[in-house]
Amino acid sequence: MNTFKNKLYHIIFEADTKAGKLFDVVLIVAIIASVIVVMLDSVAELNAKYGQLFILLEIGFTILFTLEYFARIYISEHKLKYIFSFFGIVDFLSIFPTYFGFIFGTKSTALITIRTLRLLRVFRVLKLIGFISEASELKKALKASKRKILVFLLAVVSLVTVMGTLMYMIESVDSGFTSIPRSIYWAIVTLTTVGYGDIAPSTNLGQFIASIIMILGYAIIAVPTGIVSTEMKTLKENERNRNDMIVCKNCDKKTSEINANFCFNCGERL
Amino acid sequence: MNTFKNKLYHIIFEADTKAGKLFDVVLIVAIIASVIVVMLDSVAELNAKYGQLFILLEIGFTILFTLEYFARIYISEHKLKYIFSFFGIVDFLSIFPTYFGFIFGTKSTALITIRTLRLLRVFRVLKLIGFISEASELKKALKASKRKILVFLLAVVSLVTVMGTLMYMIESVDSGFTSIPRSIYWAIVTLTTVGYGDIAPSTNLGQFIASIIMILGYAIIAVPTGIVSTEMKTLKENERNRNDMIVCKNCDKKTSEINANFCFNCGERL
Amino acid sequence: MNTFKNKLYHIIFEADTKAGKLFDVVLIVAIIASVIVVMLDSVAELNAKYGQLFILLEIGFTILFTLEYFARIYISEHKLKYIFSFFGIVDFLSIFPTYFGFIFGTKSTALITIRTLRLLRVFRVLKLIGFISEASELKKALKASKRKILVFLLAVVSLVTVMGTLMYMIESVDSGFTSIPRSIYWAIVTLTTVGYGDIAPSTNLGQFIASIIMILGYAIIAVPTGIVSTEMKTLKENERNRNDMIVCKNCDKKTSEINANFCFNCGERL
Amino acid sequence: MNTFKNKLYHIIFEADTKAGKLFDVVLIVAIIASVIVVMLDSVAELNAKYGQLFILLEIGFTILFTLEYFARIYISEHKLKYIFSFFGIVDFLSIFPTYFGFIFGTKSTALITIRTLRLLRVFRVLKLIGFISEASELKKALKASKRKILVFLLAVVSLVTVMGTLMYMIESVDSGFTSIPRSIYWAIVTLTTVGYGDIAPSTNLGQFIASIIMILGYAIIAVPTGIVSTEMKTLKENERNRNDMIVCKNCDKKTSEINANFCFNCGERL
């Protein structure tokens, strides 16, 4: 029995064996297929035609994911820790809505939303296959620039609030500037260059101020890009420098001076 | 009495003591809450329902900010200097509209706009907590690229003016190109990729020229980003490099290893 | 006869001779002209007026391209290899729809679409003229950042799916959020800052969540730019640095001066 | 008389003297004011009210610019060279439409468009004040990346043509996809993230393909930014390296090896 548990562990948690790889591929396909079924089910025409099929498929996926969920609990050493971990909760939320829906007979859209969270489970599989180093590099760059981005966002929020209020004062209600929150919403839509056009200034002064916001937005978009680029470049250079360094045999210190004769730290001849 | 003034000074102007931190947190919460009240009050439905509550809250915030304003004047050595400083004026403007409104019984939107300027006071508190280094780094990068950005903006303004006039000539009035300023407004909306759609070319020639403006805008957006990225990277490198060269007294070689004890070239103790 | 084949080979596959250059220019002009004819033919008014002319021109271009196609087959050593190569298929597809249309008398839009693929043939000519080094540099930078961009796109797709489903739940059907796929379409339109405005949130909560997506999109747009910039800069630096280190045989010092005659350190002739 | 010509030369072509600076400021103000008058004149309401005033101002500006134009001809050594130089033509075009309009009594919009070209004359004045170094740096970076940007634009044009034709095939005429050129216009509007919304896909397949174009556009926008950033950074580094270099007194060659003892070129001790 222990061998079975062990085998299951290897299949589920590792991607080295053939069975482990197959399990990962099947899981990813099932996750994506189940999310697509949820999506298609929300289209009125398709629901009318294939509604029964979608329910059957949903039941199938739920049984599959339930089996997987219990298998994961079964092979975990610290079962409670798994259950209340991030992915443990995501796993539970990906099977819970179907059971809840059947028991209480509801078909609320809230349950549907929860179901699409299944997609997050794809990231766990990717972790195993080794895409994680790329993700962690991106994460490191974002982390290094976290505070700068925060200051930047704060400036953007302030700008948008003041500009939105100003436009609420200037523009007529007919153009869609019915309240300050809605005017701020417009300012965000404009500054981020989304520009739906559902709310748009119609007075001359309003259009003039809007033009200034747009050109500001154009200049401002350069800032986060600059921040992230700089951090990424710095990370990359540090990494490369670390590889090109000369290590002292005496004190293990590294130097980036490629022509060093002596260790800068202990004076040992290199 | 002097001790009281001193204590007050520490609470308001420093963030080291417990009382000082508490004061900062309360102030930020009060500022943000008061701005949110101003916003919600502008929504017609909420105003109808909770109008009375909003007025009471507004009075409460105003009293709080008035007390703070006079406390700041009281503890300032150069009282007039504070009153006419940037934040002194912002502080005054954040309490003035409420009193003015009550006295003259007006409820103009201009007064509301002034009230949201309170948000700027959040930046003063951030100054104390130490977010200022990030902001100053951003500011330095923007300052270093100021002239280049100015030249860039001038080119954008010229481009937009010529393109706008051209479109006014080509496009019909029915599509929204009713005057040159409005056509320039359209050119800005297009070049910055906001694209409301309230004014859009309908003739073939107009759409052709608009396409060129868009692709130009696509290429042009690269320029400010390039400017800011380059300045940021240069600042970062300068910071690391410039001060950090150690010269060996024996052989005159320079090294960028700031922790060097020995010369990397001749092994001399530094 | 062999000389004729040889001469033809030089004209078609090389750009050194006068005839070769002329052939390339004529080909590019013919390709672009034929695509423009296809385009103009789709405009109803122009089709009504100049339809006959367009058909004549199309026949002319097709004969020209057919001659070229058979000439290429004729001079190829491995004829089948050419026919089933990428450009072989593109060449065939650029003449096939006209013949197919004449034989079966159909004028379907699918045939028109295939015809515009002719444009891809311009890239073959560019290959000869030497624009390829620029393209390959861009391609290298994109290749180096391939995995990071993939992780990034995956994150974007997940974000868009969850946000789209959320908006489907929150927003009313009247605003255009009729199904999850359509809501995801809206989320993509918003996150990429395209913002058509055909679907736009109308409830307060919906506009609030949309604002968050937009500001996220604003921050997220920095990531691919950062990735590509960093890879490009790294490629450029590597190119300059790696091969260009000269080692002195006397003192073992390395220099990056590629034109060095003497060692910068000991003065030894290199 | 010669002194007068000389004095005039200094006033017009130099910005060192007080009179020269004053002349530059007056000229810039006059140029901008005259362009603003042209703009405001195109607004129907303002034209009805202040039309007479605008005509008087326009006559005033034209007389001023005519005087300046003849003064420039007068002080030029090579009069014909000036007249047919870029700025000579711009100068002529900024006075010509008013005279032409008065003589032939026309008020065509084409004449108005030519008038706004006056704005280009601001760049000449900027040249004198020294903003030119910033502009030339931007120009150098753009020049260095010219070929790469060309390849990039070509790829964008091809993508947009194929995608536009594809959408013409898929989407219905009712959504605005009435011809291939218009569908390509839509593809450009989408890829550049402008997104007017005057033409927008309404079928499921169309929205799916549009989503792909948008995400492509999102990734593609990174490329020109990367190109320009990289070139700018490289230019800046080269400039800095050139300043930090050690010059050999014997052969005048420069090296970037900060620790050099001998010239890498002639072996001279430094």
Side-chain angles (χ1 to χ4, degrees):
Chain A
M1 194 59 189
N2 209 15
T3 358
F4 172 69
K5 196 169 173 177
N6 209 20
K7 217 172 155 189
L8 207 65
Y9 182 89
H10 281 297
I11 290 172
I12 293 181
F13 280 104
E14 277 161 38
D16 305 333
T17 60
K18 252 198 166 171
K21 269 183 199 162
L22 187 73
F23 175 79
D24 287 345
V25 170
V26 168
L27 196 61
I28 287 190
V29 169
I31 292 168
I32 292 173
S34 75
V35 171
I36 289 174
V37 165
V38 170
M39 285 181 193
L40 297 181
D41 195 30
S42 75
V43 182
E45 307 96 69
L46 294 177
N47 187 21
K49 253 192 183 161
Y50 308 108
Q52 291 301 94
L53 177 69
F54 290 152
I55 290 171
L56 283 177
L57 282 169
E58 179 59 38
I59 293 170
F61 288 127
T62 305
I63 290 168
L64 194 78
F65 294 149
T66 310
L67 285 175
E68 188 215 343
Y69 182 58
F70 284 114
R72 278 183 196 274
I73 293 179
Y74 172 63
I75 60 172
S76 295
E77 272 188 73
H78 310 284
K79 293 184 202 311
L80 278 177
K81 207 184 138 194
Y82 161 67
I83 290 171
F84 291 104
S85 71
F86 175 72
F87 277 119
I89 292 166
V90 169
D91 287 347
F92 177 72
L93 288 179
S94 70
I95 55 171
F96 163 77
T98 315
Y99 291 115
F100 188 88
F102 269 100
I103 292 166
F104 294 94
T106 64
K107 249 202 132 183
S108 80
T109 49
L111 290 178
I112 292 167
T113 311
I114 294 170
R115 257 183 226 157
T116 55
L117 289 179
R118 281 172 189 168
L119 209 62
L120 297 178
R121 301 173 70 219
V122 170
F123 285 94
R124 175 162 52 191
V125 182
L126 288 178
K127 225 185 220 168
L128 293 174
I129 313 180
F131 261 93
I132 209 62
S133 84
E134 265 72 26
S136 80
E137 223 174 295
L138 287 179
K139 231 157 71 180
K140 242 191 272 175
L142 287 175
K143 217 171 186 176
S145 41
K146 201 182 59 180
R147 293 196 83 188
K148 264 187 222 130
I149 285 180
L150 217 81
V151 169
F152 171 73
L153 280 184
L154 202 88
V156 166
V157 167
S158 304
L159 185 69
V160 149
T161 307
V162 172
M163 286 294 191
T165 317
L166 198 67
M167 287 300 279
Y168 169 67
M169 196 181 95
I170 293 168
E171 275 290 326
S172 68
V173 169
D174 295 340
S175 310
F177 296 84
T178 52
S179 66
I180 294 182
R182 199 152 286 215
S183 300
I184 291 173
Y185 165 72
W186 168 85
I188 293 173
V189 168
T190 300
L191 195 76
T192 58
T193 77
V194 171
Y196 286 130
D198 52 347
I199 309 171
S202 59
T203 65
N204 291 321
L205 186 56
Q207 292 186 342
F208 181 71
I209 303 224
S211 299
I212 291 170
I213 298 179
M214 282 171 222
I215 290 181
L216 267 175
Y218 206 57
I220 282 174
I221 214 168
V223 175
T225 310
I227 295 171
V228 174
S229 299
T230 306
E231 291 306 336
M232 279 190 160
K233 197 73 192 57
T234 307
L235 275 175
K236 193 133 208 171
E237 271 168 12
N238 288 352
E239 198 178 85
R240 200 172 42 180
N241 285 348
R242 237 174 287 131
N243 295 335
D244 285 359
M245 280 176 159
I246 299 174
V247 187
C248 173
K249 276 171 283 182
N250 188 41
C251 67
D252 274 345
K253 294 277 178 187
K254 292 169 191 163
T255 180
S256 56
E257 294 282 357
I258 47 166
N259 288 321
N261 297 322
F262 297 92
C263 171
F264 74 94
N265 183 49
C266 65
E268 179 81 5
R269 179 166 273 276
L270 294 171
Chain B
M1 195 57 189
N2 208 17
T3 357
F4 171 69
K5 196 169 172 176
N6 209 22
K7 217 171 155 188
L8 207 63
Y9 182 89
H10 281 297
I11 290 171
I12 292 181
F13 281 104
E14 277 161 39
D16 305 332
T17 58
K18 253 200 166 168
K21 269 183 198 164
L22 187 72
F23 175 79
D24 287 344
V25 170
V26 167
L27 195 63
I28 287 191
V29 169
I31 292 167
I32 293 174
S34 76
V35 172
I36 289 175
V37 165
V38 170
M39 285 182 195
L40 296 182
D41 195 30
S42 75
V43 183
E45 308 95 69
L46 294 176
N47 188 21
K49 253 191 183 160
Y50 308 108
Q52 292 301 94
L53 176 69
F54 290 151
I55 289 171
L56 283 177
L57 282 169
E58 179 58 38
I59 293 169
F61 288 127
T62 305
I63 290 167
L64 193 78
F65 294 150
T66 309
L67 286 175
E68 188 215 342
Y69 182 59
F70 284 114
R72 278 185 196 274
I73 293 179
Y74 172 63
I75 59 172
S76 294
E77 273 187 73
H78 309 284
K79 292 183 203 311
L80 278 176
K81 206 183 138 194
Y82 161 67
I83 289 171
F84 292 105
S85 71
F86 175 72
F87 277 119
I89 292 165
V90 169
D91 287 347
F92 177 72
L93 288 178
S94 69
I95 55 172
F96 162 77
T98 315
Y99 292 115
F100 187 89
F102 269 100
I103 293 165
F104 294 93
T106 64
K107 246 202 134 183
S108 80
T109 48
L111 290 178
I112 292 167
T113 310
I114 294 170
R115 257 183 225 156
T116 55
L117 289 179
R118 281 171 187 168
L119 208 63
L120 297 177
R121 301 173 71 219
V122 170
F123 285 94
R124 175 161 53 193
V125 182
L126 287 179
K127 224 183 221 170
L128 294 173
I129 314 179
F131 261 94
I132 209 63
S133 83
E134 265 72 27
S136 81
E137 224 174 295
L138 287 179
K139 230 157 71 181
K140 243 191 271 176
L142 286 175
K143 218 171 186 175
S145 41
K146 201 182 59 181
R147 294 196 82 188
K148 263 187 222 130
I149 285 180
L150 217 81
V151 169
F152 171 73
L153 280 184
L154 202 88
V156 165
V157 167
S158 304
L159 185 69
V160 149
T161 307
V162 172
M163 285 295 191
T165 318
L166 198 68
M167 287 300 279
Y168 170 67
M169 198 181 94
I170 293 168
E171 275 290 326
S172 67
V173 169
D174 295 340
S175 309
F177 296 84
T178 52
S179 67
I180 294 182
R182 199 151 287 213
S183 299
I184 292 173
Y185 165 71
W186 168 85
I188 293 172
V189 168
T190 300
L191 195 77
T192 56
T193 78
V194 170
Y196 287 131
D198 51 347
I199 308 170
S202 58
T203 66
N204 291 321
L205 186 58
Q207 292 186 340
F208 181 72
I209 304 227
S211 299
I212 291 170
I213 298 178
M214 281 170 222
I215 290 181
L216 267 175
Y218 205 58
I220 282 173
I221 213 168
V223 175
T225 311
I227 295 171
V228 174
S229 300
T230 305
E231 290 308 336
M232 279 189 159
K233 196 74 190 57
T234 307
L235 273 176
K236 195 140 207 170
E237 272 168 10
N238 285 355
E239 202 177 82
R240 211 167 34 178
N241 291 354
R242 203 176 309 148
N243 308 316
D244 303 358
M245 284 300 221
I246 297 174
V247 186
C248 173
K249 275 170 285 180
N250 188 41
C251 66
D252 273 346
K253 299 282 175 188
K254 293 168 195 160
T255 181
S256 55
E257 294 282 356
I258 46 164
N259 294 320
N261 298 320
F262 296 92
C263 173
F264 75 95
N265 182 52
C266 65
E268 177 82 4
R269 178 165 275 278
L270 295 170
Chain C
M1 195 58 190
N2 209 16
T3 358
F4 172 69
K5 196 169 172 178
N6 208 22
K7 217 172 154 189
L8 208 65
Y9 182 89
H10 281 298
I11 290 172
I12 293 181
F13 280 105
E14 277 161 38
D16 305 333
T17 60
K18 251 197 167 170
K21 269 183 199 162
L22 187 73
F23 175 79
D24 286 345
V25 169
V26 168
L27 196 63
I28 288 191
V29 169
I31 291 167
I32 293 173
S34 76
V35 171
I36 289 174
V37 165
V38 170
M39 285 182 195
L40 296 182
D41 195 30
S42 74
V43 183
E45 307 96 70
L46 295 177
N47 188 21
K49 253 191 182 161
Y50 308 108
Q52 292 300 94
L53 177 69
F54 290 150
I55 289 171
L56 283 176
L57 282 170
E58 178 58 38
I59 292 170
F61 288 128
T62 306
I63 290 168
L64 194 79
F65 294 149
T66 308
L67 285 175
E68 187 215 345
Y69 182 59
F70 284 113
R72 278 183 196 274
I73 292 179
Y74 172 62
I75 60 173
S76 295
E77 272 188 73
H78 309 284
K79 292 184 202 312
L80 278 176
K81 207 184 138 194
Y82 161 67
I83 291 171
F84 292 105
S85 71
F86 175 71
F87 276 120
I89 291 166
V90 169
D91 287 348
F92 177 72
L93 288 178
S94 69
I95 55 171
F96 163 77
T98 315
Y99 292 116
F100 188 89
F102 269 100
I103 292 166
F104 294 93
T106 64
K107 248 201 134 185
S108 80
T109 50
L111 289 177
I112 293 167
T113 310
I114 293 171
R115 257 182 226 157
T116 55
L117 289 179
R118 281 172 188 169
L119 208 63
L120 297 177
R121 301 173 70 218
V122 170
F123 285 94
R124 174 162 53 193
V125 182
L126 287 178
K127 225 185 220 169
L128 293 174
I129 313 179
F131 261 93
I132 208 64
S133 83
E134 265 72 27
S136 80
E137 223 174 295
L138 287 179
K139 232 157 70 180
K140 242 191 272 175
L142 286 175
K143 218 171 186 177
S145 41
K146 201 182 59 180
R147 294 195 82 188
K148 263 187 222 131
I149 285 179
L150 217 81
V151 169
F152 171 73
L153 280 184
L154 201 89
V156 166
V157 167
S158 305
L159 184 69
V160 149
T161 307
V162 171
M163 286 295 191
T165 318
L166 198 69
M167 287 300 279
Y168 171 66
M169 197 180 94
I170 293 168
E171 275 290 327
S172 67
V173 169
D174 295 341
S175 310
F177 297 84
T178 52
S179 66
I180 294 181
R182 199 151 285 216
S183 300
I184 291 173
Y185 165 73
W186 167 85
I188 293 172
V189 168
T190 300
L191 196 76
T192 56
T193 77
V194 171
Y196 286 130
D198 52 346
I199 309 170
S202 59
T203 65
N204 292 320
L205 186 57
Q207 293 187 341
F208 182 71
I209 303 227
S211 299
I212 291 171
I213 297 179
M214 282 170 221
I215 290 181
L216 268 176
Y218 206 57
I220 281 174
I221 214 169
V223 174
T225 310
I227 294 172
V228 174
S229 300
T230 306
E231 290 306 336
M232 279 190 161
K233 196 76 190 58
T234 308
L235 273 176
K236 194 139 207 169
E237 274 169 8
N238 285 355
E239 201 176 85
R240 210 167 35 179
N241 291 354
R242 204 177 305 149
N243 309 315
D244 303 356
M245 283 300 221
I246 298 174
V247 185
C248 173
K249 275 171 285 182
N250 188 42
C251 66
D252 273 346
K253 299 284 178 186
K254 293 167 195 158
T255 181
S256 55
E257 295 281 356
I258 46 163
N259 294 321
N261 298 320
F262 297 92
C263 172
F264 74 95
N265 183 52
C266 66
E268 177 81 4
R269 180 167 272 276
L270 294 170
Chain D
M1 195 57 189
N2 209 16
T3 359
F4 171 69
K5 197 170 172 178
N6 208 21
K7 216 172 156 189
L8 208 63
Y9 182 89
H10 281 298
I11 290 172
I12 293 181
F13 281 105
E14 276 160 41
D16 306 333
T17 59
K18 251 197 167 168
K21 268 183 199 163
L22 187 72
F23 175 79
D24 287 344
V25 170
V26 168
L27 196 61
I28 287 191
V29 169
I31 292 167
I32 293 174
S34 76
V35 172
I36 289 175
V37 165
V38 171
M39 286 181 194
L40 296 182
D41 195 30
S42 74
V43 182
E45 307 96 70
L46 295 177
N47 187 21
K49 252 190 183 161
Y50 308 108
Q52 292 300 92
L53 176 68
F54 290 150
I55 289 171
L56 283 177
L57 282 169
E58 179 57 39
I59 292 170
F61 288 127
T62 306
I63 290 168
L64 193 78
F65 295 149
T66 308
L67 286 175
E68 187 214 345
Y69 182 58
F70 284 113
R72 278 183 197 274
I73 292 178
Y74 172 64
I75 60 173
S76 294
E77 272 188 73
H78 309 285
K79 293 184 203 311
L80 278 175
K81 207 183 138 193
Y82 161 66
I83 290 171
F84 292 104
S85 70
F86 175 71
F87 277 120
I89 292 167
V90 169
D91 287 348
F92 178 71
L93 288 178
S94 69
I95 55 172
F96 163 77
T98 314
Y99 292 116
F100 187 89
F102 269 101
I103 293 166
F104 294 93
T106 64
K107 248 202 135 185
S108 79
T109 49
L111 290 177
I112 293 167
T113 311
I114 294 170
R115 257 183 225 156
T116 55
L117 289 179
R118 280 171 188 168
L119 208 63
L120 296 178
R121 302 172 71 219
V122 170
F123 284 93
R124 174 162 53 194
V125 182
L126 287 179
K127 224 184 222 172
L128 293 174
I129 314 179
F131 261 94
I132 208 63
S133 83
E134 265 73 26
S136 81
E137 223 174 296
L138 287 179
K139 231 157 70 180
K140 242 191 273 175
L142 285 175
K143 218 172 185 174
S145 41
K146 201 182 60 180
R147 293 196 81 188
K148 263 186 222 130
I149 285 179
L150 217 80
V151 169
F152 171 73
L153 280 184
L154 201 89
V156 165
V157 167
S158 305
L159 184 69
V160 149
T161 308
V162 173
M163 286 295 191
T165 319
L166 198 69
M167 287 300 279
Y168 171 66
M169 198 181 94
I170 292 168
E171 275 289 327
S172 67
V173 169
D174 295 341
S175 310
F177 296 84
T178 52
S179 67
I180 293 182
R182 199 151 286 213
S183 299
I184 292 172
Y185 165 71
W186 168 85
I188 293 172
V189 168
T190 301
L191 195 77
T192 56
T193 77
V194 171
Y196 287 130
D198 52 347
I199 308 171
S202 58
T203 65
N204 291 321
L205 186 58
Q207 293 186 340
F208 182 71
I209 303 226
S211 299
I212 291 171
I213 298 179
M214 282 169 220
I215 290 182
L216 268 176
Y218 206 59
I220 282 174
I221 214 168
V223 175
T225 310
I227 294 172
V228 175
S229 300
T230 306
E231 290 307 335
M232 279 188 160
K233 196 75 191 56
T234 307
L235 275 175
K236 194 135 208 172
E237 271 168 11
N238 288 352
E239 198 178 86
R240 201 173 42 181
N241 285 348
R242 235 174 289 132
N243 294 334
D244 286 0
M245 279 177 161
I246 299 174
V247 187
C248 172
K249 275 169 284 181
N250 189 40
C251 67
D252 273 347
K253 294 278 176 186
K254 292 169 190 164
T255 180
S256 56
E257 293 283 355
I258 47 166
N259 289 321
N261 298 323
F262 296 92
C263 172
F264 73 95
N265 182 51
C266 65
E268 177 82 4
R269 178 165 274 277
L270 296 169

